[in-house]
């Protein structure tokens, strides 16, 4: 079924458009794709960006023994096609509203597009988000099962799916579709602090 992309805040889109229309902003961006582009640059494929905040692990190591993590909205990313290259413009929320943050490029952008294509044929409808796990240097496409959710307050649910983007951390396969509830124990254990020497569990 088609993915149900949540609408991006209009001020966030305007801030990216304003940056793209500024020769200085584009010229100073650390994105060769944008600096070398000769045609019009149009932001597309807006996705809300979240940070995963895992729950604390409990004694038994099974999927049912873990609480679902929470997610915090940190910004919106807009893909920008520059010929055969892909860049992105990111926005952040400030006390004054949505503001342009920076341009970027790299393997996660093409991997995101691949993951979106993977998700399109799924039988159920999902709402796509980007979900990062900073402690593991990991980015995933989060497919939220509540397609009516507000992107600002959406939270992980048992029926959600995750597609790790490439490059993924060792031991986690990129572009494999995981149930969020199956991946939570792995992420929670990896993010748990190591026990202090000389202490017992």
């Amino acid at each position: 079924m088609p993915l149900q992309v949540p609408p991006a805040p209009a001020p966030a889109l305007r801030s990216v458009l304003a940056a793209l229309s500024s020769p200085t902003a584009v010229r100073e961006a650390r994105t060769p794709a944008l600096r070398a582009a000769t045609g019009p640059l149009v932001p597309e494929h807006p996705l809300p960006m979240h940070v995963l905040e895992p729950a604390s692990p409990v004694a038994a190591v099974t999927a049912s023994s873990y609480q679902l993590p929470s997610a915090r909205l940190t910004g919106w990313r807009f893909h920008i096609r520059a010929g055969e290259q892909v860049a992105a413009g990111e926005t952040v929320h400030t006390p004054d509203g949505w503001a342009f943050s920076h341009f970027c490029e790299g393997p996660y952008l093409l991997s995101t597009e691949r993951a979106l294509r993977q998700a399109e044929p799924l039988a159920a409808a999902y709402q796509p988000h980007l979900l990062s796990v900073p402690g593991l240097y990991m980015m995933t496409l989060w497919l939220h099962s509540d397609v009516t959710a507000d992107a600002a307050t959406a939270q992980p649910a048992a029926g959600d799916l995750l597609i790790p983007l490439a490059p993924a951390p060792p031991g986690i396969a990129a572009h494999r579709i995981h149930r969020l509830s199956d991946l939570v124990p792995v992420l929670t254990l990896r993010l748990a602090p190591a026990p202090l020497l000389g202490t017992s569990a």
Side-chain angles (χ1 to χ4, degrees):
M1 295 183 70
L3 297 175
Q4 305 294 314
V5 181
L13 175 57
R14 286 197 297 269
S15 72
V16 174
L17 290 171
L20 285 173
S21 67
S22 166
T24 301
V26 172
R27 186 171 57 250
E28 293 180 354
R30 296 181 180 179
T31 49
L34 294 184
R35 295 199 303 268
T38 56
L41 298 171
V42 180
E44 57 186 14
H45 300 310
L47 289 173
M49 302 176 63
H50 304 257
V51 169
L52 183 76
E53 298 181 332
S56 299
V58 294
V61 185
T62 65
S64 61
S65 301
Y66 287 80
Q67 297 177 346
L68 289 176
S70 59
R72 175 172 51 84
L73 181 70
T74 58
W76 281 80
R77 172 179 286 175
F78 297 80
H79 281 206
I80 302 163
R81 181 69 61 179
E84 296 299 318
Q85 303 294 318
V86 179
E90 294 190 4
T91 65
V92 294
H93 197 265
T94 72
D96 296 322
W98 288 99
F100 174 74
S101 173
H102 62 279
F103 292 117
C104 62
E105 61 181 78
Y108 281 143
L109 302 184
L110 289 176
S111 186
T112 298
E113 294 189 343
R114 177 182 169 185
L116 289 168
R117 291 193 297 270
Q118 278 183 270
E120 282 288 349
L122 294 174
Y126 291 96
Q127 187 184 78
H129 302 245
L130 289 171
L131 184 65
S132 69
V133 188
L136 299 179
Y137 301 99
M138 179 180 179
M139 180 76 77
T140 73
L141 181 68
W142 166 29
L143 300 175
H144 190 31
S145 53
D146 181 0
V147 297
T148 65
D150 183 337
T153 56
Q155 292 297 318
D160 294 356
L161 305 176
L162 293 178
I163 304 179
L165 302 183
I172 296 178
H175 292 287
R176 177 181 173 186
I177 300 176
H178 300 263
R179 288 193 175 278
L180 183 142
S181 57
D182 293 337
L183 204 52
V184 163
V186 176
L187 300 181
T188 304
L189 282 178
R190 289 196 179 194
L191 291 170
L196 297 175
L197 294 177
T199 62
S200 57

